[in-house]
Amino acid sequence: MIMAKQKKAPKPKALPPKGFRDYFGADVSERAEMLRRIADVYHLYGFEQLESSALETVEALGKFLPDVDRPNEGVFAWQEDDDWLALRYDLTAPLARVYAQHRNELPSPYRRFAMGPVWRNEKPGPGRFRQFYQCDADTVGSASMAADAEICTMLSDTLEKVGIARGDYIIRVNNRKVLNGVMEVAGILDPSDPEKFTDERGIVLRAIDKLDRLGLEGVRALLGAGRKDDSGDFTQGAGLAAAQAEVVMGFMQALGATPADTLSNLRRLVTGSAIGEAGVDELQQISELVTTQGYGADRIVLDPSVVRGLGYYTGPVYEAELTFEIKDEKGRPRQFGSVAGGGRYDDLVKRFTGQEVPATGVSIGVDRLLAALRMKGQLQSAQSGPVVITVMDRARMGDYQAMATQLRAAGIRAEVYLGNPKNFGNQLKYADNRNSPIAIIEGGDEQAAGIVQIKDLILGAQLAKEASLEEWKARPSQIEAPRAQLVEKVREMLAAQGAAQ
Amino acid sequence: MIMAKQKKAPKPKALPPKGFRDYFGADVSERAEMLRRIADVYHLYGFEQLESSALETVEALGKFLPDVDRPNEGVFAWQEDDDWLALRYDLTAPLARVYAQHRNELPSPYRRFAMGPVWRNEKPGPGRFRQFYQCDADTVGSASMAADAEICTMLSDTLEKVGIARGDYIIRVNNRKVLNGVMEVAGILDPSDPEKFTDERGIVLRAIDKLDRLGLEGVRALLGAGRKDDSGDFTQGAGLAAAQAEVVMGFMQALGATPADTLSNLRRLVTGSAIGEAGVDELQQISELVTTQGYGADRIVLDPSVVRGLGYYTGPVYEAELTFEIKDEKGRPRQFGSVAGGGRYDDLVKRFTGQEVPATGVSIGVDRLLAALRMKGQLQSAQSGPVVITVMDRARMGDYQAMATQLRAAGIRAEVYLGNPKNFGNQLKYADNRNSPIAIIEGGDEQAAGIVQIKDLILGAQLAKEASLEEWKARPSQIEAPRAQLVEKVREMLAAQGAAQ
C-alpha cells in the first residue's frame, strides 16, 4: 500500500492516534442497544432523528477567529482548498446550522434527536478520549413550557426503557430566571443595566455551581469575602453583604415538602422581581403539566439546588440523577449521580439568521449511562459468546457448518472453528477466548453412532473451580445426544445456564 | 459564539461543507433498522462488532508519501502537532491496524464486522458524497475455504433478513487463481518469473472487467489488437494470438448447467497450471460446503463471469446481485445489479508485522441496498408520522399531554402541537408536514360532552382528491368517540389505514 516503493519504509506503528480508542464486541453492541431503546422512546414522542455530517465548516461551527490563522483550540480543524473544515465538537452547533439551513421545510416546532460521535482536540487523559458519543433531543421553535415538561417526561420514560428502575433515578427541575430574580432581589442584577455587577454574578454562579463539592458553608464564604481551601489557597468572594448572601442561600435551600411548598418558598424569595416571578410561574407550569400526566415526585421534582447549567441556559434547566449507591475510588458509598442534563436556550440560530428562536433540549451522558446499566446488570444478554462447533475431521466441514446453520435457524448464535483444527486444545482455548457457553464435538465415533457431544463450558468452568467429586458425577458438564436432537439439547443447556446465573 | 466581538462579523452561511449532506427522520431510522438487521445476522454467525476510531494516523493508514509534504489525494488529512492525522477512507485499513495492534488478545481466527461512515476527499458530484456508510464483515486468520463459504451463506441470510426475497438475488462466486491459471495456459503468466507480461495481464484484467459494458465481442477485441469505440477512439489491446485469447474467452463463458459442469469446464481450461487447478479445487470446496448446508443454486452459484475484484483479491471472489427488474434513467428495463462484493486477500497486516495473514471478507453497498429495499417497499413502517393532538385551549396543555402519554403507553407514536395554537389551520398544516395519520381535537364543547374528535388525515386527503358526495357521507374522515375510548379508536383507525394501503 505504500506508494513510494524505492526506499524501504520502516514498519508503521499499529496504534490509533493519541487519545483515540477502539471498541470491541459487546462494548459496541451494548451501546447500540441502549441507543436503540432511547431512539424508540424519542420516536414514540414524535421526535425525528437527524444525522448531520461529521464535518462542518469552521465558519458554521462559529469557532473561527478571523485574526489568527488557526481555529480555536478544542476542535479538530484544517484548511481544505479555500475552506476551513472541522469535526463537530457537539451535536448542538450542527443542529443550529441544519435548522437555519432548512427552517422553511422543517416542521415548526421541530423536535429532533441525534446520536453519534463528536470530537474534541483536547489533551487526552485516563478515561478521557478525543472521540466520544453524544445523544441529544431538542425541540426548536416552541416557547411553551409544555416543550420542557415533555423533555422531562421523555427523559423519565427513557431511563426506565433502558433499564433504570423507578426509584433508582430522579429528574430535578430548576429555572435560571428564578436565580436571576434572586440576584435582582439581592441587589446584584439591575434589569435596567444588565452589564452592571457582571463580575459579582460570575462569582455567585461559579460558587453555587460548586455546591456539591464545597457544601453550603463553602458557598456561603464565596458569596461573602472569600474562601481559603485546605491547602491555604484563597479564592476571592463576591463581597455580598450578609443580607444579600442570605437571599442566594435561601434559593439553594428552597426545596419544600411538596411542589406547592417549594413554589411558595421561591415566590417569597423573588417578590418584586418581574423576571423572578416569571421563572416561578414557569416552574409551576412544568410542575402542573407533568403532574397532570401522572409523573409524580417519584419521577420528576422541582429542586432549587440544581445549579448545573444555570450559567448557560436561559429558563428551565433539568437534570437526571441516578440515586442508587455505588462505591467511590476509596470504597466510600455515594450516589451514582447525573446521567443527563439540559434546559432552555434562545440563541440557537441567531448567528445565522439574526432571529431568536426558542429551543429546549437534553443531552444524555452516553458513557455514564452505559456504565450505570453495566453496574445494574442490564446489559448482560449481549455479551454471551457463540456456541462453537469444533472440527474433528477437516473433510467434514460442510457437516459442521450445517450444524451451525441449524442452530442459527433456531436463533442460537453459533460458529464453526475455522483455525487449524489439528490441536484440539487450541479449539477449546479459542472457545474460551470467545466466551462460548457450549462446544459441540462430533468425531468419527460419534458420527458412526449418530450422536454428538455437547459440552457445557460455563458449568465446566464452575465445576473445575469448586466442585467436589460427587458434584462432578451428579452434574456432568458434557452430555451425549442424538445428532437429530442437537438444537433441542443446546437450547435446554442454554436455558439451564441462564437460570443458574 | 463568535469570540472576536470587536468587529461585527458577517453572518455565517448555514451550509455543510461541499459534498456533505444531512439525513433526516426516516432516512436515518431506515438505514439504522437495515444495519441492525444485518448486525443481527452477523452476530448470529459469531462475528463481533468492531468500532475503530474515525481518525487514524496517516502512517497507519498507509497513504503517506514521505517525499511530499501532503498525504495522498483522496483522504482528509492534516497535521496535528507532530502527527499527521486522517479520517478513515474505508473500514479495511483500520481493521488491519486493529488486528496488528491486538492480535495477541483477539481470538484467532477473528471474525469481525464493522459499520459506519467513511470519508473521501474526492470531487463531489450528483449523488456522490464525501461521507458515506460502509458495512463490512471479514474473517482474519483463516485460510480455510469454509471461511469464504460462510461469508457467502451469511450474505444470503442477510439479504433475506433485510427484506430481499429468495429469487430476487443471487450470490455468484469466482476465483482469482483460476484466472491466473487461465493466464498461465494462455502464455501470459510465467510462475517462474511473475513480473513478466505484467502489461499484458493488466490489459486483460481491465478488458474482462469491462465485460458488462463491452460484451464478449468488445472484450475479444481488447485481448487482441485493440478496440475502436463509437467515438473513434482506439484502445490498445493485449496483443494475444487467437489461441491465447480463446483461453481467456473460455474462462468467462465456462458457466455450465450445474456446478459440476462449470467445474469441469474450468478444470479443462487450466489443465497443466498448478495455480489454476488449486483455484478450481477451492471453487469446488466452496460449492460443496454451501450445498451441504442446503444453499442451492437459487441462492449461491459458481460463475466464472464474475470479474469484478479479480484484480484486487487473491483467491475466491463473491458478489451479491439483485436480479429483479428496474427501469434505468431512459425507462429501459434492467436488473438492479450488485449490492455487495468481496473476496480473499492475504496481505492485511503485512505492512505492520511483516507476516502474511489470510483474510476474507465482504462489503455491503449500504446506500444501494437501502435504495433496493425502498423500491421493494420493505421500509415503509418507519416512515409514518405521529398522531398529532391539537391544542384548542392553551390552559389545558396537561390534558392534551396526558392523551399523548396514553397513546404512547399503547405503543402509538403521538405528540401534542407545541407551536402557537391560535390559528387552527396552522396546526393541521403542521400535522400534514409531519405526515401524521391522525389528528385529535378536543375543544370546550367536546370536553363538556366527554368526547374527542378523531380525524383520519389519510382518508381525508384521499377523499379530498377523489370522493363523490356519497362517498364523503358514507366514509366520514372524522369520528366522534368517548374520551375514554381514545386509544382504542385510534388503534382501530390506524389498523384500517394500514389495511387500506
Side-chain angles (χ1 to χ4, degrees), chain A residues 22-23 25 31 36 43 45-49 51 54 80 97 111 121 142 408 413 416 418 434, chain B residues 22-23 25 31 36 43 45-49 51 80 97 111 121 131 142 408 413 416 418 434:
Chain A
D22 307 307
Y23 294 84
R31 182 178 57 211
R36 196 178 66 79
H43 186 258
Y45 268 78
F47 283 65
E48 295 287 343
Q49 192 160 359
E51 186 172 310
E80 199 66 64
R97 191 267 300 157
R111 290 176 176 94
N121 193 355
S142 173
R408 289 172 198 141
R413 194 177 189 210
V416 175
L418 286 183
R434 297 290 288 116
Chain B
D22 307 306
Y23 295 83
R31 183 178 56 211
R36 195 178 67 78
H43 186 260
Y45 268 78
F47 283 66
E48 296 287 342
Q49 192 160 0
E51 186 173 309
E80 198 68 60
R97 192 266 302 157
R111 292 176 173 94
N121 193 357
Q131 171 179 333
S142 174
R408 289 173 199 142
R413 194 179 187 208
V416 175
L418 286 183
R434 297 291 287 116

Side-chain angles (χ1 to χ4, degrees), chain B residues 58-74:
Chain B
V58 165
E59 178 194 4
L61 278 187
K63 285 279 183 179
F64 189 56
L65 287 170
D67 50 348
V68 296
D69 66 351
R70 252 187 87 74
N72 269 10
E73 293 298 316

Side-chain angles (χ1 to χ4, degrees), chain A residues 98-415:
Chain A
V98 168
Y99 187 82
Q101 181 181 354
H102 298 282
R103 63 191 183 281
N104 294 327
E105 307 97 61
L106 288 172
S108 175
Y110 177 48
R111 290 176 176 94
R112 91 87 179 77
F113 69 98
M115 28 188 62
V118 301
W119 293 267
R120 299 272 170 92
N121 193 355
E122 291 167 348
K123 210 176 141 71
R128 268 189 52 179
F129 297 98
R130 305 208 282 178
Q131 171 177 334
F132 55 93
Y133 267 71
Q134 288 197 336
C135 170
D136 286 16
D138 295 81
T139 298
V140 183
S142 173
S144 168
M145 284 303 109
D148 301 86
E150 176 178 89
I151 299 259
C152 293
T153 62
M154 185 165 79
L155 187 53
S156 165
D157 289 6
T158 300
L159 291 175
E160 295 188 12
K161 182 72 179 287
V162 298
I164 305 292
R166 200 170 301 177
D168 272 346
Y169 72 91
I170 193 76
I171 292 160
R172 303 180 201 279
V173 185
N174 199 0
N175 195 300
R176 169 65 191 265
K177 289 179 184 167
V178 179
L179 175 63
N180 281 359
V182 166
M183 300 244 212
E184 190 181 345
V185 171
I188 51 171
L189 176 65
D190 179 353
S192 67
D193 183 3
E195 298 296 314
K196 214 169 150 186
F197 305 121
T198 302
D199 291 348
E200 285 83 354
R201 288 200 304 277
I203 296 176
V204 169
L205 267 173
R206 284 193 296 280
I208 61 185
D209 204 25
K210 291 178 187 154
L211 179 61
D212 280 359
R213 204 150 48 77
L214 305 184
L216 285 168
E217 276 317 293
V219 174
R220 179 70 187 73
L222 286 173
L223 296 179
R227 178 178 175 272
K228 194 176 275 182
D229 68 16
D230 293 342
S231 72
D233 285 349
F234 183 76
T235 308
Q236 180 67 44
L240 302 196
Q244 292 179 299
E246 278 322 305
V247 181
V248 177
M249 296 302 292
F251 171 66
M252 286 180 281
Q253 300 170 80
L255 183 63
T258 66
D261 290 347
T262 305
L263 290 165
S264 96
N265 290 344
L266 290 173
R267 214 173 276 286
R268 200 168 347 102
L269 279 169
V270 300
T271 304
S273 160
I275 182 118
E277 287 171 8
V280 179
D281 287 346
E282 289 184 359
L283 271 181
Q284 181 164 359
Q285 281 181 59
I286 292 176
S287 176
E288 286 171 3
L289 281 164
V290 301
T291 306
T292 307
Q293 288 169 73
Y295 290 76
D298 55 340
R299 289 190 268 180
I300 303 174
V301 296
L302 303 185
D303 188 343
S305 74
V306 172
V307 290
R308 265 196 10 167
L310 278 182
Y312 174 69
Y313 295 110
T314 56
V317 297
Y318 26 88
E319 185 169 37
E321 243 180 84
L322 302 191
T323 52
F324 58 83
E325 231 171 52
I326 56 165
K327 298 268 190 278
D328 70 8
E329 323 77 68
K330 295 183 180 163
R332 291 168 304 201
R334 63 167 183 85
Q335 290 199 342
F336 188 91
S338 174
V339 292
R344 180 166 282 279
Y345 50 102
D346 291 323
D347 58 353
L348 186 71
V349 298
K350 201 175 175 187
R351 292 180 51 242
F352 292 102
T353 66
Q355 287 177 304
E356 283 210 347
V357 173
T360 188
V362 68
S363 186
I364 289 178
V366 172
D367 290 325
R368 279 187 62 74
L369 185 55
L370 258 178
L373 294 177
R374 288 201 180 106
M375 276 179 201
K376 282 284 180 183
Q378 287 292 328
L379 291 168
Q380 288 184 329
S381 62
Q383 292 177 359
S384 75
V387 172
V388 168
I389 295 144
T390 60
V391 174
M392 305 301 285
D393 178 355
R394 206 189 281 255
R396 292 189 44 243
M397 266 298 192
D399 294 337
Y400 299 131
Q401 291 280 13
M403 287 185 199
T405 301
Q406 282 178 8
L407 289 168
R408 289 172 198 141
I412 297 168
R413 194 177 189 210
E415 55 171 57

